[in-house]
Amino acid sequence: MSGSGFTLPNIYCPFPATTFNDRPNPATPDVARDVYALIDKLDGGTPLLRDAAAGVHLADFAGRLHPDVSPQGLALVFMSHLVFYGHEAWIEQGEAPGHYLSPLELNRTYDRALEVFDGASTASSDTLVADLLGHFGNTVRSFNRPENYARIRTALEGYLRSQVWERDFRNHREMPSLATYQAMRRNTSSTVLYLELFTLFFDLNIPVTLLDHPVVRQLQDMQANYTCWVNDIFSFEKELKEDGALNLIFLLREARNLSWQQAVDAAAEMVKKEATDYLDLKARLPRLGIPLAGALAELLDQEERWQAHCIVYQQRAPRFSVTS
């Protein structure tokens, strides 16, 4: 029972048991050293990125999240998390009392940041976001996988542009429709982007035509939904304390005229249904002429292990604590 008078449910997770608590990636110390040196450089004497990394136990979490990736893959894991949490810290700093980040400001910032991601030289006038994406782009290009680079670039832009949509609702203290929220949440959380990186994390050579198959794409969307909705449940108490609005539980309560407990339970039921529907669709792949073998099977397996890891992490990270 929470202090707010409702009970948070156990999260339904049919995905494999993990070694999250026991076996960090052996490359973690070396990769973490390089990433934290970059954090200190980009912070320029401020604690912004350092604090963001501390709030998610970045070195410990990233090193345990994918214990089997190569050092190159682990460097990309670190950088992808730094992009998300660093951008979030930057945008929250920009929305301090007295300053409103207009859609025009954000879009101009993202235009420039994407140029730097694509290889443009940085300038002293560039924002932290541009500097972060410059290093992120270099890390992605180091894999020399242009067919995947294009997809990652598209997902990255989707994440950035969705922030304009999210900030508009937050700044005006409004709530979108439930359907719109469900459609946008995968991008605002950067989950679409993160899933696109799995082919590089694990050096998986999957034809783009297979990744774009509507059934495979649906499986990826369902994985992203599961991630986002679990995240909403774990962060709900903190967002309720902060009077947040863009959370699945808030939207369910509004759309269906539910109590808080009913909305929490409805969200948990959505998580369970999405997971069971995902497993059902995955099992049908061979019947649809899509062999569940090779690199595709490994991709789905690694994504499922990631889901289970994330649940362990979110139960203990300071980021989701109502007292942090």
Side-chain angles (χ1 to χ4, degrees), residues 48-71:
L48 187 71
L49 291 179
R50 177 69 68 160
D51 286 351
V56 294
H57 293 318
L58 180 62
D60 181 58
F61 172 53
R64 296 177 190 274
L65 185 63
H66 300 297
D68 300 319
V69 298
S70 67

Side-chain angles (χ1 to χ4, degrees), residues 249-260:
I249 295 171
F250 285 80
L251 272 292
L252 285 168
R253 181 173 181 263
E254 176 81 8
R256 301 179 183 176
N257 193 28
L258 304 176
S259 68
W260 283 122

Side-chain angles (χ1 to χ4, degrees), residues 43-273:
D43 265 344
T46 75
L48 187 71
L49 291 179
R50 177 69 68 160
D51 286 351
V56 294
H57 293 318
L58 180 62
D60 181 58
F61 172 53
R64 296 177 190 274
L65 185 63
H66 300 297
D68 300 319
V69 298
S70 67
Q72 185 185 27
L74 186 61
L76 183 57
V77 171
F78 267 83
M79 280 305 306
S80 61
H81 284 86
L82 187 60
V83 165
F84 175 75
Y85 295 117
H87 169 268
E88 186 175 72
W90 171 84
I91 206 168
E92 288 177 355
Q93 181 188 63
E95 292 184 339
H99 182 64
Y100 169 74
L101 289 171
S102 71
L104 183 60
E105 286 179 287
L106 282 176
N107 277 310
R108 284 176 175 170
T109 296
Y110 296 149
D111 288 343
R112 173 58 184 161
L114 288 166
E115 289 177 358
V116 176
F117 175 81
D118 287 333
S121 299
T122 55
S124 59
S125 59
D126 280 332
T127 63
L128 175 63
V129 176
D131 288 337
L132 274 173
L133 291 194
H135 289 281
F136 183 48
N138 289 337
T139 306
V140 172
R141 281 189 293 275
S142 73
F143 289 82
N144 194 28
R145 297 273 291 272
E147 70 280 8
N148 295 108
Y149 179 89
R151 298 173 63 88
I152 291 166
R153 208 275 191 188
T154 297
L156 173 62
E157 181 162 12
Y159 162 62
L160 294 174
R161 303 301 183 189
S162 72
Q163 300 307 301
V164 182
W165 172 87
E166 181 175 12
R167 298 343 280 187
D168 178 67
F169 276 98
R170 288 192 183 277
N171 288 330
H172 290 93
R173 305 193 64 76
E174 297 172 348
M175 286 193 289
S177 71
L178 178 60
T180 301
Y181 177 77
Q182 290 177 245
M184 294 295 290
R185 178 70 169 116
R186 295 189 291 268
N187 274 309
T188 62
S189 66
S190 81
T191 307
V192 171
L193 170 61
Y194 196 76
L195 290 174
E196 283 290 352
L197 296 172
F198 270 67
T199 53
L200 301 189
F201 291 161
F202 297 97
D203 192 25
L204 301 175
N205 290 299
I206 304 175
V208 170
T209 52
L210 181 55
L211 290 173
D212 285 334
H213 189 289
V215 175
V216 176
R217 184 71 266 166
Q218 179 63 25
L219 287 170
Q220 298 300 289
D221 286 347
M222 295 168 87
Q223 284 275 19
N225 287 339
Y226 183 91
T227 302
C228 294
W229 299 347
V230 168
N231 179 279
D232 279 2
I233 292 172
F234 278 121
S235 62
F236 169 59
E237 285 190 277
K238 186 168 185 177
E239 291 193 39
L240 184 62
K241 181 180 178 181
E242 297 170 352
D243 197 24
L246 293 187
N247 180 299
L248 178 64
I249 295 171
F250 285 80
L251 272 292
L252 285 168
R253 181 173 181 263
E254 176 81 8
R256 301 179 183 176
N257 193 28
L258 304 176
S259 68
W260 283 122
Q261 185 64 61
Q262 289 171 330
V264 168
D265 293 342
E269 184 59 32
M270 285 179 62
V271 165
K272 181 176 182 179
K273 187 175 188 305

Side-chain angles (χ1 to χ4, degrees), residues 15-18 65 300-310:
F15 305 123
T18 75
L65 185 63
L300 298 179
D301 178 70
Q302 292 293 352
E303 289 174 348
E304 292 164 16
R305 292 181 184 278
W306 170 67
Q307 298 285 9
H309 284 160
C310 285

